[in-house]
Amino acid sequence: KNSVSYDLEEVSMDAGGERKKLAGRVGLLVALQGDVFWPGERITIDGAKFDTDAKNESFLLRENRSGTLLFPKAVERSGHACHASGDGGIFTCTRFRLSRALTALRERFEAGLQYALLEPQSSLAAGILVGARSSTPKNLEEAFRRTGLSHIVAVSGYNITIVIFTVSTILGLFMFSRQAAFWTATAFILLFTLFAGAAASVGRAAIMGFLVILAQKEGRFYSGRNAISLAGALMLLENPFLLRHDLGFLLSFLATVGLLTIYPRLEERCSRVRATLLIA
């Protein structure tokens, strides 16, 4: 609650007068003092410890990071990747601008919830809608953990379903073509995934949601089992360490597999029992 973390895409370090560049993403953990750093900013860090401790191996592999910089003495802005020397590139600069816009929108959204609702209702609403947990009171987090309800404040297929249904309904009212509706819904799924932080459960739900609208567009039958298999394969292809080091990834997939395989059998058996009782 008293610190904030950032992802550093490119890090150059001065070690004993020798300058070297670190490969891969690096996490930065700083004390929360009111300063906010935006995507694409260049910063100068002084007095930080580069941590690659073996006890944090699971975290580093899960987040695809080479290490973390912990609690530096000073962090100063030193320009922007797209302004300093023009070496950012069109794609990179566009990505930074989009990320900054989504970050600002997310913060405004959370601030609006805190203004409209009291605690802990505002934190609960932020968790349910966009998976935000930074402002959730510790006692509420502990209560969720003890009762096994932590998944309530995790974005999943329910949120993606709302996005698809809302976009499809609005476009249907204006008589948009199936092609236009497909691409618009795809764009909204992608934006919402980035907006919600692109956690494992969000990524899985986004891929399955995209396959739903793709099947509708092509007039094909949608198979939930095939969709979750493809989603898992794509996510593990991007980061194989999720399978071993990301509990959220495992729980999200196991819960969905249970809904797709076990729930239909339970429903069938319950209907048989209900029919038997009615006959009796």
Side-chain angles (χ1 to χ4, degrees), residues 141-200:
E141 284 188 352
E142 181 66 16
F144 281 144
R145 188 185 66 81
R146 288 180 176 275
T147 56
L149 295 176
S150 297
H151 62 279
I152 289 180
V153 290
V155 177
S156 61
Y158 176 75
N159 305 76
I160 299 296
T161 301
I162 293 177
V163 171
I164 295 174
F165 178 79
T166 303
V167 173
S168 301
T169 301
I170 294 175
L171 294 180
L173 293 175
F174 292 95
M175 304 297 289
F176 275 75
S177 66
R178 179 178 295 184
Q179 188 85 359
F182 167 76
W183 288 112
T184 304
T186 300
F188 271 89
I189 290 175
L190 177 60
L191 291 174
F192 180 79
T193 302
L194 297 174
F195 181 78

Side-chain angles (χ1 to χ4, degrees), residues 30-167:
V30 299
L32 189 59
Q33 298 174 342
D35 290 332
V36 176
F37 300 99
W38 296 95
E41 280 192 305
R42 296 186 186 275
I43 57 177
T44 301
I45 304 170
D46 180 42
K49 174 189 176 184
F50 183 61
D51 182 25
T52 56
D53 199 324
K55 67 181 180 180
N56 297 324
E57 181 183 11
S58 294
F59 168 78
L60 297 176
L61 292 175
R62 182 182 72 234
E63 299 296 328
N64 197 19
R65 294 175 178 172
S66 59
T68 54
L69 295 171
L70 303 178
F71 297 108
K73 295 179 181 177
V75 181
E76 298 179 357
R77 292 177 170 84
S78 57
H80 196 281
C82 300
H83 297 160
S85 59
D87 59 351
I90 296 177
F91 176 78
T92 301
C93 292
T94 302
R95 179 166 59 86
F96 283 147
R97 292 189 183 100
L98 176 61
S99 180
R100 178 167 183 162
L102 290 175
T103 301
L105 180 61
R106 180 186 173 106
E107 291 185 352
R108 285 190 177 185
F109 179 77
E110 293 181 23
L113 288 177
Q114 292 176 356
Y115 178 79
L117 300 173
L118 298 175
E119 288 289 357
Q121 286 83 356
S122 61
S123 298
L124 181 60
I128 293 174
L129 295 175
V130 295
R133 300 189 182 187
S134 59
S135 60
T136 305
K138 286 187 176 181
N139 61 337
L140 184 60
E141 284 188 352
E142 181 66 16
F144 281 144
R145 188 185 66 81
R146 288 180 176 275
T147 56
L149 295 176
S150 297
H151 62 279
I152 289 180
V153 290
V155 177
S156 61
Y158 176 75
N159 305 76
I160 299 296
T161 301
I162 293 177
V163 171
I164 295 174
F165 178 79
T166 303
V167 173

